[in-house]
Amino acid sequence: IAAYAQHGHAKLALKLYSQMKQESVVPDAITFVTILSACACLQVLEQGKQIHGHIVRGGFESDVIVGSALIDMYTKCGSIRHARQVFDKMQIRNVVSWTA
């Protein structure tokens, strides 16, 4: 997923993420950060929202790096309101979350 996302193949990264979910492989924080980057690149807000739901259900909502990736994705998809909601809910913020 990361190889595709980092080398301009965000659509393939999303496709691989879907396949991973279909095969019941549980994503981790790194997977979420990477796939959120692909969503941001493609500006696919609805898919980003779905992945946000996976993050919540997976218990990664409190991860500061995942939270910062969510802020970045929402911002790049044009949803400043959602980005701000994520930021406001973050219990821990770092320089990345403040500058996202």
Side-chain angles (χ1 to χ4, degrees):
I1 293 172
Y4 284 134
Q6 293 170 1
H7 294 288
H9 302 286
K11 285 184 183 180
L12 290 173
L14 286 171
K15 183 176 179 179
L16 206 55
Y17 175 77
S18 292
Q19 182 180 349
M20 181 180 132
K21 294 289 289 174
Q22 287 174 354
E23 295 184 18
S24 300
V25 177
V26 179
D28 62 9
I30 294 168
T31 306
F32 286 127
V33 169
T34 303
I35 206 64
L36 287 169
S37 173
C39 289
C41 179
L42 296 171
Q43 296 182 335
V44 288
L45 180 60
E46 290 308 313
Q47 281 185 285
K49 286 180 179 179
Q50 289 175 1
I51 292 166
H52 188 174
H54 300 167
I55 289 166
V56 171
R57 287 189 295 281
F60 291 93
E61 196 172 29
S62 63
D63 186 297
V64 68
I65 303 300
V66 174
S68 297
L70 277 166
I71 293 168
D72 184 66
M73 182 275 299
Y74 279 125
T75 301
K76 288 180 178 171
C77 289
S79 184
I80 303 301
R81 181 176 58 88
H82 284 100
R84 182 59 194 250
Q85 287 174 347
V86 171
F87 181 81
D88 289 344
K89 288 182 182 178
M90 291 178 78
Q91 296 175 1
I92 299 171
R93 298 179 186 116
N94 64 12
V95 68
V96 176
S97 52
W98 277 99
T99 57

